[in-house]
Each structure stands twice: as C-alpha cells, then as structure tokens.
Amino acid sequence: MKLLWLYAHPEPRSLNGHLRTRGIAAATALGHAVVQSDLYAMGWNPVVSRADHPDGDGRFRAADASHAAFRAGRLPVDVAAEQEKLLGADAVVVQFPLWWYGPPAILKGWFDRVLVKGLGYGTGSRYGAGALAGKRALTVVTAGARESSLAPRGIHGSLDQILWPLLHGTYFYTGMAPLRPLLVGSADRLTEAEAEAAADALADRLRGLGTERPLAFRAEASGDYDERLRLRHDIAPGELGLEAHLGGST
Amino acid sequence: MKLLWLYAHPEPRSLNGHLRTRGIAAATALGHAVVQSDLYAMGWNPVVSRADHPDGDGRFRAADASHAAFRAGRLPVDVAAEQEKLLGADAVVVQFPLWWYGPPAILKGWFDRVLVKGLGYGTGSRYGAGALAGKRALTVVTAGARESSLAPRGIHGSLDQILWPLLHGTYFYTGMAPLRPLLVGSADRLTEAEAEAAADALADRLRGLGTERPLAFRAEASGDYDERLRLRHDIAPGELGLEAHLGGST
C-alpha cells in the first residue's frame, strides 16, 4: 500500500522520533511505500487565513474561498502538495503527542487547511462516504498520562472519546476508515525496553493496517439517523454517550 | 469582573465578528472590564517549538524547557503577555468557529504555548484545582451544522462531548470552572434576525457569567477516582460515557 505518514513533533531525538523511524522502517519492510509529511521539519503553516486567497477582497469566507480555489486549481502550493499526497495514499498514519487532549496546533492546522470544501466537506456525502473513501487512518499517540487513566471511566476519558473530533469528525466524516488508535502512555517515563515494546506494538499495527477492522461508526446513509440527524429511537435506545454511534457495519 | 476575550476568527465582517462586537459591548455595559486577544489580528504564533527557547541546544523537551523558562521569567514576550492577561482575568470568554470539530489551529496553539508546565500543568493539582482556580470559562462556538445534530445522540455528538478536551481537559484541568458552552448553529445560514437573537443569547449568558452554575465535573481530589484514576465502582456504576464524569459538587 501507499502510506502517508503525517508527523507532528518538534524534536527528532524524542520517543516520537524513535517511533516514527521504527514505524517507517517496519512499514517499508512490509512492502509499503511511505511518503512523509513531517510538519515541523516542513515549517508547515497551520493557520487558515485570507493570505491563502489573495484574489478575494470582500468579506473573507474561508469555506467558499477555499472551495473556489480548489476547483480552479489555485490553492496555495503547500496545501495542494499535501492534498496530492493524501489523495495518492491508501492509508494515513497520523502520529503526534497529545497536547491538551488534542493534536498539536501545527497538526490541527493541517486538517484545517488541507481538507477544504469540495474535498473534505461539501461533497454531498460524509460520515462513511466522501472524497477520501477507501483510505484507512491509523492514529499513533503518545501521552504523559498512564494508560489506565486514558480509558473508559478514566479521569481523562478514553482515547477514543478524547479523539472523537479526529476519529469520527475528521476521518469518518471524510470517508476514511478510522482504525483504533495506538496509545503509548507514560511517554515521559518509558525505559528503553518499554520504548522498544511500543515500537514493536506499532509494527504490529502496521502489519494489520490493510486488514484490521475499523471502528464501526454508523454511516450517515445507514438509516440509523433520523431527519434531524439524531439516532433513531430504536437504535441504542436511551444511550447518550458517544458509544451509541458505534454499531455500524464495516 | 475582569474578562479576557479570546477570539479566533479570520474575518471581522463575519457572524463571529458581529457576536464579538455585541458581546464585548454587552459585557462592558454590565460593568465588566474586557481585555481582548484577537489571535488573527495579533498574528499569533500557535506553534510550540524550539525557537521559543533559544538557550537550549540538546534534545528539546517542550514541557521542561517551558517550565524552566516560566520559572526564570524567560518565556517569549508574546507568551508572557498572554499569561499576564489570563492571570489578571476573573473569567475568560473563548470564541471560535468549530473547524473539524475543534478550535482553529491558531486557538489550539494559544493553549499549547500559553499553558506551560508550572502554570497549566505540573503544579501538583489539577481537575478542579490548579493555578487558574477561581476563574470561569465561557465558550462561544459557531457551527455550520444544525443544533439538533449537535446534541446527545446527534450525528456529530453533543457540543459538550466534542469539546471535552477543552471543557474538561483544559479549563477544568487547570482549575477553571467550565460553563456550559453557547452554541450558535446553522451559522452559515442565519438571517439577520437570527444573528441578533444569537447576540442576545450571548448577552444573556454574559449576565450570568459570575453566577451561573458551572458544569459539575468531578474533581480529582473528590475521592470519586481510584488509585488508577478510574471512577470508583460505586460512582455512576456501569456508565462508560463521558457523562459519568459529571456529578461533582460545584
């Protein structure tokens, strides 16, 4: 498969840097072709702004401006290059340290700028369908917290709950199949042996990248949601948590 | 009260710009003193990087480097200025459009850079306590989606679920009292009358800013979590959703 490895950490000599090196080596050994976006090394600009659309002069509407530029082939060069990498990939590995329970700003802004209207949304289909359908997304996250606390009923919430905006609101929204994220907890306190075990766990996940079963979110077109886009009464009746949105077919 | 109005939208001539203007006018009329951080207008740099810490030359550890700089009074001038605004405020209003189910990168990076170790975390207390205890946080969010779909059992998740990393993982983590967020849905399709109604709703919330009851997350020190930092078996028994973390005293 062709992989895009999207990576957001400021220090190559870090646990994340080590996992990235080991992960890309493992993916390559498995026969995958890996293209990388190392956002810090690229000096990626994460800020959606009018500067991306020098033609406009009236009120700046980010969605409309990016949609028009996308259709006209006039997006900024850096954005177009990332879209090309993404569209050419069969799977995306998204690797980052958890900062304030989300991706670092430089990575959030990759999604903000790259997934423009016409590609990421506004395509007429979403949540289980869309322009990125057929691609798989594996999230690799390091966190300072212990894994026991990043769990259902854990004080921080489970990683799936914390990353709902990414797993469901971004990957699944755009049609990608979200795989269960890989968590490396206690990241500031790992021994060398534990860091190697984490790299092995990543290699394991890469082995199953093309075959493992994605998170079974319910597709918008599944009929599980009513006309107000709420779960029908007979679907997961009475459940209010995010878990109610699982149970689709994969 | 002293308010910090943290604002992240690229276009002043937008619904967000209108809500900001109306909101600050309402807050001022209520007798509050408002300080503003208009991140786009400031050209805020949202990227945590080694460039913030020119003294270091070895492996860059963002948490340790920012902690040392914070204690030594050697943080970058822009970061120190935002910390001063935050520490001087009794309440923070955080206003943004929902992009990919989270804050725009420029705002995510405000938290990444401003809430350094020693201020935001690593203080010895968190989740209901911490260096920002006593402050209140009101989130004002515009979203393209209809409000009915941004609800429990709504396809996008409820705003409280989507914003868990901000409400619980950032505000509550640092000791701030998270207020119920204000949602302005269907933001791209509002009539003028609807936009005025949204501004009125914001003014209402500002009237209750000092008195309304915050979201009742359970404090880490409440005894509701066990030694693995999971909810004790007798607390919200069997509940796996984020809602299980509500029920604390406020």
Side-chain angles (χ1 to χ4, degrees):
Chain A
M1 296 200 294
K2 291 179 185 162
L3 304 196
L4 170 59
W5 200 287
L6 187 53
Y7 174 77
H9 195 283
E11 172 54 83
R13 292 164 294 178
S14 59
L15 174 62
N16 267 284
H18 180 63
L19 292 173
R20 188 254 310 253
T21 302
R22 285 281 314 274
I24 290 178
T28 306
L30 287 162
H32 299 313
V34 181
V35 169
Q36 205 180 150
S37 289
D38 178 339
L39 299 181
Y40 272 93
M42 293 157 64
W44 175 255
N45 163 24
V47 179
V48 167
S49 82
R50 176 188 291 275
D52 279 353
H53 306 286
D55 292 348
D57 52 0
R59 174 175 164 184
F60 174 56
R61 297 174 189 267
D64 293 344
S66 64
H67 194 197
F70 176 65
R71 287 185 298 187
R74 290 176 59 86
L75 282 171
V77 174
D78 59 346
V79 171
E82 294 305 299
Q83 290 179 342
E84 197 178 326
K85 289 183 194 175
L86 177 60
L87 289 168
D90 303 303
V92 187
V93 177
V94 180
Q95 185 192 346
F96 59 95
L98 196 66
W99 288 354
W100 293 111
Y101 300 96
I106 201 170
L107 176 57
K108 176 54 167 62
W110 189 91
F111 296 105
D112 288 350
R113 287 185 73 228
V114 173
L115 298 182
V116 299
K117 183 169 181 177
L119 178 68
Y121 61 104
T123 64
S125 51
R126 61 178 187 181
Y127 286 129
L132 304 181
K135 303 183 192 304
R136 300 179 143 236
L138 173 63
T139 314
V140 180
V141 176
T142 61
R146 291 177 273 171
E147 294 183 18
S148 72
S149 61
L150 285 160
R153 299 177 61 80
I155 193 166
H156 311 297
S158 75
L159 196 60
D160 288 10
Q161 291 167 334
I162 294 166
L163 296 182
W164 167 261
L166 182 63
L167 302 173
H168 183 270
T170 307
Y171 302 152
F172 192 62
Y173 189 104
T174 58
M176 290 193 272
L179 305 183
R180 185 170 46 86
L182 174 64
L183 169 64
V184 180
S186 305
D188 304 323
R189 305 180 289 283
L190 292 195
T191 63
E192 259 187 59
E194 287 167 335
E196 288 317 303
D200 291 343
L202 173 55
D204 268 350
R205 294 298 302 279
L206 291 168
R207 251 185 297 280
L209 189 61
T211 52
E212 78 169 65
R213 206 168 165 175
L215 293 172
F217 291 127
R218 301 175 192 278
E220 180 161 0
S222 65
D224 289 350
Y225 296 93
D226 65 20
E227 72 288 345
R228 294 186 311 161
L229 295 180
R230 294 201 187 172
L231 286 168
R232 281 179 12 213
H233 292 298
D234 55 323
I235 302 290
E239 287 184 37
L240 299 177
L242 294 172
E243 296 67 26
H245 300 282
L246 288 166
S249 53
T250 56
Chain B
M1 296 200 295
K2 291 179 184 161
L3 305 196
L4 170 59
W5 200 287
L6 187 53
Y7 173 78
H9 195 284
E11 173 57 72
R13 292 164 294 179
S14 59
L15 174 62
N16 267 285
H18 180 63
L19 292 173
R20 188 254 309 255
T21 302
R22 285 281 314 273
I24 289 178
T28 306
L30 287 162
H32 299 313
V34 181
V35 169
Q36 204 180 150
S37 289
D38 178 339
L39 298 182
Y40 272 93
M42 293 157 64
W44 175 255
N45 164 24
V47 179
V48 167
S49 82
R50 176 188 292 275
D52 279 354
H53 306 285
D55 292 348
D57 52 1
R59 174 175 164 184
F60 175 56
R61 297 174 189 267
D64 294 344
S66 64
H67 194 196
F70 176 64
R71 287 186 298 186
R74 290 176 59 86
L75 283 171
V77 174
D78 59 346
V79 171
E82 294 306 299
Q83 290 179 342
E84 197 179 325
K85 289 183 193 174
L86 177 59
L87 289 168
D90 303 303
V92 187
V93 177
V94 180
Q95 185 193 344
F96 59 95
L98 196 66
W99 288 354
W100 293 110
Y101 301 96
I106 201 170
L107 176 57
K108 175 54 167 60
W110 189 91
F111 296 105
D112 288 350
R113 287 186 73 228
V114 172
L115 298 182
V116 299
K117 184 169 181 177
L119 178 68
Y121 61 104
T123 64
S125 52
R126 62 179 186 180
Y127 286 129
L132 304 181
K135 303 183 192 304
R136 300 179 143 237
L138 173 63
T139 314
V140 179
V141 176
T142 61
R146 292 177 273 171
E147 294 183 17
S148 72
S149 61
L150 285 159
R153 299 177 60 81
I155 193 166
H156 310 297
S158 74
L159 196 59
D160 288 11
Q161 291 166 333
I162 293 166
L163 296 182
W164 167 261
L166 183 62
L167 302 174
H168 183 269
T170 307
Y171 303 152
F172 192 62
Y173 188 104
T174 58
M176 291 194 271
L179 305 183
R180 186 169 45 86
L182 174 64
L183 170 64
V184 180
S186 305
D188 304 323
R189 306 180 288 282
L190 292 195
T191 63
E192 258 187 59
E194 288 166 334
E196 288 317 303
D200 291 343
L202 173 55
D204 269 350
R205 294 298 303 278
L206 291 168
R207 251 185 296 281
L209 190 62
T211 52
E212 78 168 65
R213 207 168 165 175
L215 293 172
F217 291 127
R218 300 175 192 277
E220 180 161 359
S222 65
D224 289 350
Y225 296 93
D226 64 20
E227 72 289 343
R228 294 186 310 162
L229 295 180
R230 293 200 188 174
L231 286 169
R232 281 179 12 213
H233 292 298
D234 56 324
I235 302 290
E239 287 183 37
L240 299 177
L242 293 173
E243 296 67 26
H245 300 282
L246 288 166
S249 54
T250 56

